[in-house]
Amino acid sequence: MSTSPAADTLVSALQVGAELAAISDATAWLGALGAREGWPDALRFGLELSVEEALTNVISYGFAAVDHAPQIRLEVYRQPHGRVAVRLIDNGIAFDPTGLPEPDPAASIEEARIGGHGVQLMRHFLESLSYRRAGGENQLTLVAGPKAAD
Amino acid sequence: MKMDTSPLALDVVLIALEGRLDIAGAAAVEAAFAVEAGKARVVVVDLSQTPFIASIGIRLLLANAKALSRREGSMLLCGCDPQVERVLRSTGVDQLIAIVPTREAALAELGGGVAGGAG
């Protein structure tokens, strides 16, 4: 995907610790950034939610079998037309969440799967979710738009 | 995240959650929620003070609703923030757990069925 500097402006970035306790700090940081940037509530909610889900995956599964030091970084970009892009970069095992299937809708509570809703939520709340593996890193790009409330 | 439990009717417990139902919030209330839900036949979860829910929160609600269902019980959700409700609808939770506007509506929904225990 294109990330031409003319179109996208880096607003802020954050290093995230590879422990679950760091996730709430990261979403709080994102929420405060959104308040400063004047993001509409629905856009801010969608990004906080999507980043929470993406970080949960990376921190829970990304570093189980690696022996190098974990590096996780969030970059937030202002884009044209009120869009915001968040790039999540980590050096964990290669993992493309965009390839995960949607859970089948359950007919009853007895049959319902209690997990597997993270990527479904990201797809619903984002305009786009894209992945690439480059230089030993996962790069997940989450784009939310001002019409996120629709 | 905080959790407050109070009886709403015979065998009906109200569990009010306050705070973000994210990975930290769910971890904070998970054990107590299961204990309280385990004592009741119907659990009404008041989400009016819950501005955020992630998939870990969905997991908490579905796991407990499933356990209640096995005991012929049920769960209802009330007071949902619009964004929280969007999370629940987009994942199909609303098809599995009833969402009603208020705790009064939850009681009305239950009608006489709780005390009567018919069926």
Side-chain angles (χ1 to χ4, degrees), chain A residues 48 52-53 109-110 112 148, chain B residues 20 22-24 55 66 69 86:
Chain A
E48 280 186 42
E52 161 117 8
E53 302 299 344
I109 187 70
E110 290 79 17
Chain B
R20 290 167 68 91
D22 57 8
I23 195 155
S55 65
K66 204 172 232 203
S69 164
R86 196 169 155 223

Side-chain angles (χ1 to χ4, degrees), chain B residues 4-17:
Chain B
D4 187 53
T5 308
S6 54
L8 204 56
L10 194 62
D11 293 329
V12 182
V13 68
L14 178 79
I15 300 182
L17 296 176

Side-chain angles (χ1 to χ4, degrees), chain A residues 130-143:
Chain A
S130 54
Y131 171 84
R132 77 175 170 201
R133 179 82 179 175
E137 291 180 333
N138 297 302
Q139 297 184 352
L140 188 67
T141 305
L142 308 85
V143 178

Side-chain angles (χ1 to χ4, degrees), chain A residues 31-110:
Chain A
L33 181 63
R36 284 204 302 281
E37 288 282 303
W39 298 345
D41 284 348
L43 185 152
R44 182 178 51 76
F45 185 97
L47 274 182
E48 280 186 42
L49 175 64
S50 301
V51 166
E52 161 117 8
E53 302 299 344
L55 280 176
T56 300
N57 285 339
V58 166
I59 293 172
S60 301
Y61 311 113
F63 297 99
V66 301
D67 48 16
H68 56 260
Q71 293 280 352
I72 303 171
R73 178 178 165 88
L74 285 172
E75 297 173 351
V76 180
Y77 294 87
R78 201 182 291 136
Q79 293 193 310
H81 311 298
R83 290 192 179 87
V84 179
V86 177
R87 178 160 286 174
L88 169 60
I89 303 160
D90 71 82
N91 64 351
I93 56 165
F95 174 63
D96 178 5
T98 65
L100 293 177
E102 295 270 322
D104 290 330
S108 69
I109 187 70
E110 290 79 17

Side-chain angles (χ1 to χ4, degrees), chain A residues 20 23-24 27-28 41-42 44-45 48-49 52-53 56 60 106-118 120-121 124-125 148-150, chain B residues 20-25 51-56 58-63 65-66 69-70 81 83-84 86-88 90-93 95-97:
Chain A
L20 291 173
I23 295 174
S24 299
T27 54
D41 284 348
R44 182 178 51 76
F45 185 97
E48 280 186 42
L49 175 64
E52 161 117 8
E53 302 299 344
T56 300
S60 301
S108 69
I109 187 70
E110 290 79 17
E111 297 166 27
R113 284 182 56 197
I114 62 164
H117 297 290
Q120 189 180 18
L121 284 171
H124 185 84
F125 279 82
D150 293 350
Chain B
R20 290 167 68 91
L21 197 42
D22 57 8
I23 195 155
F52 183 88
I53 185 169
S55 65
I56 194 82
I58 292 174
R59 185 185 284 262
L60 173 85
L61 295 174
L62 286 179
K66 204 172 232 203
S69 164
R70 280 192 217 106
D81 165 277
Q83 294 299 331
V84 167
R86 196 169 155 223
V87 168
L88 298 170
S90 66
T91 47
V93 171
Q95 301 298 310
L96 306 170
I97 305 175

